[in-house]
Amino acid sequence: MSFESLGLQPALLRALAEQGYTDPTPIQVAAIPQVLDGHDLMAGAQTGTGKTAAFALPLLQMLDSAAHGPAHNPRALILTPTRELAAQVHDNIRAYGKHLRVRSGAIFGGVGMGGQVQFLRRGPDLVVATPGRLIDHLQRRNVDLSGVRWLVLDEADRMLDMGFLPALKQILAVLPKQRQTLLFSATFAPEIKQLATNFMRSPREVQMATPNAVASGVSHRVHPVDAARKRDLLLHVLAADSRRQTLVFARTKHGSDKLCRHLEQHGFRAAAIHGNKSQNQRTRALADFKRGGTTILVATDIAARGLDIDQLPAVVNYDLPMVAQDYVHRIGRTGRAGAEGLALSLVSREEEGLLRDIQKLLKQPLAVESVEGFEPAWTLRPEHANAPSSQPGQRRGKSRARKPNRRDDARPASAQRKASHGHAHPQHSRTQNDAARANRSRRNRNGRNRAAPR
Ligand code: AMP
């Protein structure tokens, strides 16, 4: 399948060739013709699938072929949950549309209003915006959205997670009813479906990855550790390969700053990115990391949403996410496009329940390896009870006999390797069934360990 056969015009094909894209990704194959045909679309696709081009290319084509008037109001609006994503989407739009005359810009918080007001006055064709800042402009009458013919909700699930539903409704209320709406979301929670029912017209649906799936090239590893020793263990694992670009996830803004300082004090080139940083600081930190100027980027979940970082070799969960689904989003940044990736989680006793939720979601146990010198005083019990040990049609327990490969993580605890720099915890000699039994009875005693909402 070629881009040409999807019905894209030569100016776009040229830009794609300049980007080095040879073939469309599956989401692009599925979405582009539907969008060009004028259908509303609900697409299940995560960052890393090429979803941005899946909506940006047909949108640019339709904007370019519709009449160019004099200064006018925006005809296309793309809403994204974060500033970084808005900037990234707009960068892509500029790259794909470089041979077209489509006027576009991005509008987000954290930077002054002045430049954005000027840009809006010039009459852009396409605006990429975060909901909060767009509402500010709407309230100040800096922008008139009555001419919007195309609307894209990018990472709609994230927007709802971040509490943007009221803002979305406010924006949707001022858009014309006659429009084409495209909704992209990693998951289709009931609230997303509700949004689609209320604001879309018989949308076509395309679903790319199985929800909750992670790239198959990713090795997951869990290092149990006492909470008080996490920082030292992090230094130890980072030092093992100090040139490796690593994205480290911490739970809080304050925690990421502290961790970043600690890493810097120990000679690592690190930067932190979170909601309290100014837009300029965030953009600079991301650019430095992408360039390789810094090797460690410490981020909170919200700040890291949708970051497009190619070929990231490792993600470290310094803190486990409070919501299991976020593990999938975090890990989505490594092992892309067939590359190998490492997902390392430093798990304290207090996080055992969160780890259990993650394994349940992934339907696979994660390899547990304690690191020599950092063995905790307690025993981490991997939850295997809810994880099938084999694919449908395979014999249960077959994975035990498999040849070692990069999916080692799916092996039962008893078969897990020792860490190259440590010894398997004595707990690991228990069989999978032992662990499952123990966990089942513990769950029955304690009830389900619920993740706290963010
Ligand atoms: P996205 O899922 O939109 O965040 O895209 C993920 C990455 O894939 C971005 O770096 C894009 O530039 C890149 N990309 C998108 N489409 C293609 C394609 N057809 N071929 C190669 N790379 C692509």
Side-chain angles (χ1 to χ4, degrees), residues 184-197:
F184 285 74
S185 182
T187 56
F188 284 133
E191 307 80 62
I192 301 281
K193 294 207 165 126
Q194 191 64 44
L195 198 65
T197 312

Side-chain angles (χ1 to χ4, degrees), residues 3 16 19-28 45-55 57 85 88-89 92 96 154-155 290 306-310 336-337:
F3 280 112
L16 291 172
Q19 288 291 304
Y21 299 0
T22 49
D23 303 301
T25 66
I27 181 73
Q28 292 160 5
Q46 302 186 350
T47 301
T49 53
K51 68 179 169 68
T52 313
F55 62 75
L57 293 169
L85 190 59
Q88 243 165 242
V89 167
N92 285 358
Y96 304 146
D154 191 15
E155 303 207 354
K290 282 187 169 183
L307 287 188
D308 175 21
I309 306 168
D310 279 343
R336 282 188 188 182

